[in-house]
Amino acid sequence: MGKDSKRRPKVNVSPYVHFMMDFRNQTREQQPNTYYDFTEFSRKCSEKWKTISKKEKKKYEALAKRDKDRYQREMRNYTGPRRERRRRDPDAPRKPPSSFLLFSQDHFEEIKEQHPNWTVAQVAKAAGRMWARCSEADKIPYEERAAVLRAKYLEEREAYYHQCQRGE
């Protein structure tokens, strides 16, 4: 980021985090030479949070609400770097499936019949295992189909780019 760029606003924190920061400061003031590792401090903080009154918790809830309002106000005014997704041209040719994807499409129904309760992810993993166990000879038809589709895609893409250049 450059010097002139505006930093993203600091995210708002919960009432418990406000309490933790306050408790940490109190602990440091009362015991400046005592060190607590994170786990021990978190445990002490959690125990203390459970014992404080609702009135005291309301104080931290008010701090959190003010912090949330600040964050929302700052985010309304924040115009930092926004990445816009490039929209895909619906007329552009789609990339062809790989040989593995062609194999998966052919075997999806077969796997799904054997395991009807499996999720799509589980079926895909099974197809991956099947593909890995396939011999090179068994993979050749899929690789040939993928090569044909890839060549067709490259031709269509080339024609599409020429069409776009003429249109401009």
Side-chain angles (χ1 to χ4, degrees):
M1 274 203 250
K3 290 181 181 179
D4 297 331
S5 66
K6 199 173 177 185
R7 290 194 183 273
R8 182 182 174 92
K10 190 172 183 181
V11 177
N12 58 305
V13 294
S14 69
Y16 181 69
V17 172
H18 280 287
F19 169 76
M20 277 183 74
M21 292 187 298
D22 198 27
F23 186 69
R24 189 179 103 218
N25 291 338
Q26 288 174 7
T27 305
R28 281 186 176 169
E29 285 176 12
Q30 294 169 357
Q31 304 164 352
N33 297 330
T34 306
Y35 171 78
Y36 294 109
D37 69 343
F38 182 77
T39 307
E40 187 179 356
F41 175 76
S42 294
R43 188 179 39 74
K44 284 182 176 273
C45 200
S46 174
E47 289 169 1
K48 180 75 172 165
W49 176 253
K50 290 174 188 172
T51 63
I52 66 171
S53 67
K54 287 188 179 198
K55 183 180 176 186
E56 212 170 339
K57 281 187 182 179
K58 287 251 187 247
K59 176 179 104 175
Y60 295 109
E61 288 168 359
L63 281 171
K65 182 171 179 359
R66 239 183 17 230
D67 193 29
K68 182 178 180 181
D69 293 341
R70 174 214 44 91
Y71 175 69
Q72 289 175 339
R73 187 176 55 255
E74 288 177 5
M75 282 305 286
R76 277 194 298 270
N77 300 327
Y78 177 66
T79 57
R82 297 176 196 269
R83 289 189 211 123
E84 286 193 29
R85 279 186 68 179
R86 239 178 46 194
R87 299 240 181 254
R88 186 187 175 283
D89 183 353
D91 297 331
R94 296 191 74 87
K95 287 188 176 180
S98 66
S99 53
F100 167 68
L101 202 53
L102 293 169
F103 174 85
S104 297
Q105 290 170 348
D106 284 354
H107 291 82
F108 182 85
E109 290 300 323
E110 175 188 328
I111 298 168
K112 196 67 175 159
E113 284 175 13
Q114 292 172 358
H115 307 282
N117 297 330
W118 277 12
T119 64
V120 173
Q122 289 172 314
V123 173
K125 286 179 185 175
R129 288 190 296 271
M130 286 173 67
W131 179 254
R133 286 193 305 262
C134 276
S135 68
E136 291 301 314
D138 291 339
K139 291 180 181 181
I140 289 174
Y142 297 103
E143 290 168 352
E144 288 173 350
R145 272 176 47 202
V148 169
L149 292 171
R150 176 95 177 136
K152 182 181 172 198
Y153 163 74
L154 292 174
E155 287 174 16
E156 289 174 355
R157 186 181 71 175
E158 194 66 32
Y160 171 75
Y161 285 139
H162 285 303
Q163 175 192 348
C164 288
Q165 288 174 348
R166 275 185 267 143
E168 289 180 344

